[in-house]
Every structure is written in structure tokens, then in C-alpha cells.
């Protein structure tokens, strides 16, 4: 079945789609890290971390709604110059598909896209959090016993004394039942969504489908590159929309001026939000690398250069003189046999010669330093 997409843009590559799909996760990780760093100096920001899912979803709701309204693309897709286009599939006698009619998203498609981009990821994140807590509770109960059961038993024993206690007990049972259902169903839901996502990505990579994800297939939307004419049309459309919004302002002149200033500030923030957030991600990633490198340098053990070798021992005036040929024993003045070294000085002699000398004089033959036969070491390679 052949699909034709409205507009002149070409089909984006798999890597472009994967990068656009991964961008919100990277943005969330960078914002969480940056808020955590700033919270070290401003404890008030810890409240944002307590409501991390809600804060990030609200931010993405504003950004995605603005991007879909102005450019017919999600926040990350517009960064890569991509656009969403509706696809109408009509079968003819040859069982082939015909071209799409409109090149702009309808209002319903934008709303449903917003649900898939923001609402469903938020709900999945909350379910994942509930599943993790339920899993930890099961593990703790298997190790230490279920503390909640004894507490509920005490509550149930007092049900007849108070209506509020009865309502609390019913709420507790419903909450526990819901958590158990989530704990059982979430792994299946997660495996199913990830499996469908992987299947669509593999088919997209192999050019077997034009849909990168199940959500795009359900919406009947293709993603393609925006042409230059489309970008110009989008700019003119944005200007017309904003002009109409300014014309709708009512009230005295000073109220209109104030409302116009607020609208201009809002438009400026939304227009530069994409660039600002991406720049913030790179900035905080650089700061993370910088501080991490500094911590590694501070925690790394100090490496000192190897000490220089000690100076060679001086030959005593009373000692034997060293021959010019290093292969000759200084004691017998013959080629060394079974070369051995005295560790106190490092000079090499024949083993029989140095053993006899050290046994008799208790000193090194060359330096006259005190030595014993235990300090004689056999060398297996003549130097």
C-alpha cells in the first residue's frame, strides 16, 4: 500500500526521527539536574522536584501546544525542521493509495496529538512510579512482613466506633486494590507499548511503513521535512493569527496597551523557548562535565614521578681498581665465571672470588663497605 503525503517535504531518516523522539527525555534529564543543582542554594526549588512529573508535563503542554499551533509539528520535530501531515488513504481498483488532500493538521488531530505527546506520557510516568512503590512494598513485605496488614486490622476493629474510620478503611482498601492492579498490569502494558514501538521503528527503518510510531498510525499522520515555501507560509499564518488576536482586545486604550504588551512578551518567550531550552541543555551538560571532571581530579590519587636512581658508589682508594673491560672480574682479572653482585654496592665479580673475599674481610672489594655472604646474589645474565 502506497502513501502520499501533502506538501513537498521528503521523508525524514530513521535517525532524525529517533533524535526527535529522544529529545524530550534528554530535556527532562537536563532540567532535573539543573534544578537539583540550583536547589542546593535555593531550597524552595525542591518543591519542583517533588512534583517533577507535573512540572515537566505542564511545561511540555505549553511548548507542544504552541508548536502544533504554529508549525504543525511537535516541539522536538520543529527543531529538526520536520512537519506533521495528515494522510487520507483511498483504495482504487489497483488496491493502491491515493494522495492526501490537505497539508495542514485539523484541530482534532492537533488535540489528539497533544494527548499522545503530553497526557499519555504523564499517565505512564505516574503508573511507573506507583508500580515501583508497590514492587518495593512487596519486596519489603516478603523480607520483614507486611506492616500494613496489622495496621489495617487495628483499623477494622474500630470500624463500628466511627464513620470516618470506616470511610478511611474503605479508601485504604480501594487504594490498595488499585495499586495491586497497577502492579500486575503495568509490566504487561509497558511490554506491549515498548514492543509496538520497537516493531514500528524496525519497519520504518526497513522502509516497510511510513509511520514511525503507533500513535502516528492511529492519528493518520506522516512526518516529513518542511520545504522553504511551507516555512514561509507558516510565518505568514502566525502573523495573521497574532494580528487577529490583537484585534480582539477590548476595553480602554490603556488596557489594550497592557494586554498587547503581555501578548508580545508571551509571543517572544514562546518563540525563543526552543532555542533557550536547547542552549540551557548544552550549558548544563557542559557544567555537569566540568564539575564531574573536577571531582574526578580531586578524588584521584596523587601520582608522583618515579624517584631518580641513586648515584653510583665510589670506589675506595684501598679497594681493588675496576678494569676497563666490564666483563673482567676486578679480583682475578679474568673473564667472569658465575657472575654475582654484592647488593650493598652493585659491583659484579666471579662468585668464587667475591665469596672468598667477603668471607675473609667482611667488606665489598671495590667500595670497602661492610658486607656479608648473604648479600651476594647470583646473576644469570652478564651485564
Amino acid at each position: 500500500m502506497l502513501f502520499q503525503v501533502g506538501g513537498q517535504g521528503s521523508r525524514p531518516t530513521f535517525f532524525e526521527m529517533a533524535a526527535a523522539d529522544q529529545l524530550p527525555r534528554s530535556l527532562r534529564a537536563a532540567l532535573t539536574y539543573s534544578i537539583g543543582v540550583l536547589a542546593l542554594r535555593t531550597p524552595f526549588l525542591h518543591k519542583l522536584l517533588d512534583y517533577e512529573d507535573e512540572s515537566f508535563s505542564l511545561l511540555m503542554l505549553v511548548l507542544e501546544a504552541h508548536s502544533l499551533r504554529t508549525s504543525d509539528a511537535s516541539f522536538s520535530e520543529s527543531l529538526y525542521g520536520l512537519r506533521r501531515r495528515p494522510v487520507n488513504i483511498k483504495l482504487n481498483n489497483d488496491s493502491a493509495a491515493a494522495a492526501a488532500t490537505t497539508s495542514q493538521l485539523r484541530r482534532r488531530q492537533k488535540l489528539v496529538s497533544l494527548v499522545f505527546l503530553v497526557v499519555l506520557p504523564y499517565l505512564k510516568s505516574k503508573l511507573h512510579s506507583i508500580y515501583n512503590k508497590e514492587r518495593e512494598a512487596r519486596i519489603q513485605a516478603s523480607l520483614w512482613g507486611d506492616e500494613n496488614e496489622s495496621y489495617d486490622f487495628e483499623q477494622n476493629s474500630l470500624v463500628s466506633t466511627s464513620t470516618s474510620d470506616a470511610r478511611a478503611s474503605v479508601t485504604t482498601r480501594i487504594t490498595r486494590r488499585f495499586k495491586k492492579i497497577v502492579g500486575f498490569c503495568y509490566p504487561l502494558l509497558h511490554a506491549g507499548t515498548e514492543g509496538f514501538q520497537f516493531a514500528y521503528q524496525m519497519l520504518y527503518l526497513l522502509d516497510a511503513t511510513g509511520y514511525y510510531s503507533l500513535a502516528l498510525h492511529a492519528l493518520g499522520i506522516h512526518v516529513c521535512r518542511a520545504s522553504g515555501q511551507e516555512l514561509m507560509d507558516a510565518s505568514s499564518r502566525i502573523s495573521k493569527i497574532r494580528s487577529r488576536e490583537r484585534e480582539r482586545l477590548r476595553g480602554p486604550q490603556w488596557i489594550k496597551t497592557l494586554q498587547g504588551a503581555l501578548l508580545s512578551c508571551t509571543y517572544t518567550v514562546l518563540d525563543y523557548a526552543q532555542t533557550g531550552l536547547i542552549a540551557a541543555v548544552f550549558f548544563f551538560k557542559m557544567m555537569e562535565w566540568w564539575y564531574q571532571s573536577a571531582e574526578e581530579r580531586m578524588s584521584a590519587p596523587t601520582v608522583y614521578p618515579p624517584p631518580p636512581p641513586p648515584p653510583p658508589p665510589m670506589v675506595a682508594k684501598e679497594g681493588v681498581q675496576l678494569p676497563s673491560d666490564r666483563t673482567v672480574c676486578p679480583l682475578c682479572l679474568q673473564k667472569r665465571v658465575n657472575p654475582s653482585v654484592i647488593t650493598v654496592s652493585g659491583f659484579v665479580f666471579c662468585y668464587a672470588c667475591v665469596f672468598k673475599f667477603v668471607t675473609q674481610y667482611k667488606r665489598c672489594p671495590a667500595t670497602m663497605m661492610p658486607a656479608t655472604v648473604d648479600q651476594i646474589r647470583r646473576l644469570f645474565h652478564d651485564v
Side-chain angles (χ1 to χ4, degrees):
M1 186 175 292
L2 178 65
F3 296 94
Q4 290 184 346
V5 184
Q8 302 298 322
S10 59
R11 180 176 181 267
T13 63
F14 171 81
F15 300 101
E16 289 177 314
M17 296 297 298
D21 185 53
Q22 185 65 28
L23 182 61
R25 301 184 185 92
S26 302
L27 179 60
R28 177 169 183 170
L31 289 177
T32 302
Y33 173 79
S34 61
I35 293 174
V37 172
L38 295 176
L40 297 176
R41 296 181 176 271
T42 310
F44 174 76
L45 295 177
H46 279 291
K47 295 182 179 180
L48 291 178
L49 296 179
D50 295 337
Y51 299 96
E52 177 186 350
D53 294 333
E54 289 75 11
S55 302
F56 182 76
S57 297
L58 181 61
L59 174 63
M60 293 306 298
L61 179 64
V62 175
L63 295 178
E64 298 288 7
H66 174 71
S67 182
L68 286 171
R69 184 187 182 191
T70 57
S71 60
D72 285 344
S74 67
F75 173 75
S76 56
E77 290 166 356
S78 61
L79 178 67
Y80 290 90
L82 305 179
R83 295 293 182 269
R84 294 191 170 199
R85 296 290 177 263
V87 177
N88 294 331
I89 305 174
K90 298 180 180 179
L91 297 178
N92 55 13
N93 296 330
D94 299 330
S95 297
T101 55
T102 60
S103 61
Q104 296 181 4
L105 296 179
R106 295 185 293 272
R107 181 180 179 83
R108 185 186 66 83
Q109 290 177 322
K110 293 181 180 180
L111 292 176
V112 180
S113 296
L114 203 60
V115 171
F116 277 99
L117 290 171
V118 180
V119 179
L120 293 184
Y122 168 74
L123 295 177
K124 186 178 179 181
S125 177
K126 300 304 290 186
L127 291 177
H128 182 73
S129 177
I130 294 174
Y131 169 75
N132 285 336
K133 292 180 181 179
E134 179 66 17
R135 181 172 175 270
E136 291 175 0
R138 288 201 306 267
I139 294 175
Q140 184 178 3
S142 63
L143 296 176
W144 307 104
D146 193 356
E147 298 178 356
N148 294 328
E149 290 183 357
S150 61
Y151 176 75
D152 292 338
F153 178 78
E154 294 176 0
Q155 275 192 340
N156 293 334
S157 63
L158 301 176
V159 168
S160 59
T161 61
S162 175
T163 307
S164 61
D165 292 341
R167 292 177 179 176
S169 180
V170 172
T171 304
T172 302
R173 289 198 299 268
I174 293 176
T175 303
R176 185 182 301 175
R177 182 71 61 85
F178 174 73
K179 289 182 179 180
K180 288 184 179 179
I181 293 174
V182 171
F184 176 78
C185 297
Y186 178 76
L188 302 177
L189 176 65
H190 180 71
T193 54
E194 293 297 322
F196 274 110
Q197 183 70 13
F198 177 76
Y200 269 92
Q201 290 178 1
M202 288 298 298
L203 292 174
Y204 189 87
L205 180 63
L206 299 175
D207 289 335
T209 182
Y211 299 103
Y212 180 77
S213 65
L214 177 63
L216 294 175
H217 198 170
L219 293 173
I221 291 176
H222 272 307
V223 178
C224 61
R225 294 190 183 94
S227 61
Q229 184 62 38
E230 291 174 338
L231 294 176
M232 294 175 61
D233 294 341
S235 300
S236 61
R237 186 174 70 253
I238 294 172
S239 300
K240 292 179 181 178
I241 292 174
R242 293 179 178 178
S243 298
R244 287 197 300 267
E245 289 178 349
R246 288 190 175 93
E247 293 174 356
R248 293 174 185 172
L249 299 178
R250 296 292 183 268
Q253 184 63 33
W254 66 275
I255 294 181
K256 289 184 178 180
T257 304
L258 180 60
Q259 292 175 344
L262 292 176
L263 280 177
S264 299
C265 293
T266 303
Y267 295 151
T268 303
V269 171
L270 291 175
D271 290 339
Y272 291 96
Q274 186 181 76
T275 306
L277 286 175
I278 300 302
V281 169
F282 282 104
F283 174 75
F284 283 108
K285 283 295 183 181
M286 184 188 68
M287 296 300 295
E288 180 183 9
W289 169 81
W290 178 266
Y291 284 111
Q292 185 177 2
S293 301
E295 291 177 358
E296 291 178 354
R297 289 194 301 267
M298 293 177 63
S299 61
T302 305
V303 179
Y304 297 99
M314 299 298 295
V315 179
K317 294 181 179 180
E318 299 82 5
V320 296
Q321 299 300 315
L322 300 179
S324 58
D325 188 358
R326 294 186 176 184
T327 62
V328 175
C329 174
L331 291 174
C332 64
L333 299 179
Q334 301 294 328
K335 187 174 181 63
R336 285 193 299 262
V337 179
N338 293 331
S340 302
V341 63
I342 299 181
T343 58
V344 296
S345 62
F347 290 108
V348 183
F349 308 88
C350 295
Y351 178 77
C353 298
V354 71
F355 185 85
K356 185 185 300 184
F357 188 93
V358 172
T359 302
Q360 182 178 359
Y361 298 104
K362 309 293 183 184
R363 292 181 180 276
C364 172
T367 61
M368 303 307 290
M369 297 173 61
T372 62
V373 293
D374 295 334
Q375 294 174 327
I376 300 175
R377 298 290 184 269
R378 171 74 185 279
L379 297 179
F380 295 92
H381 294 281
D382 196 2
V383 179

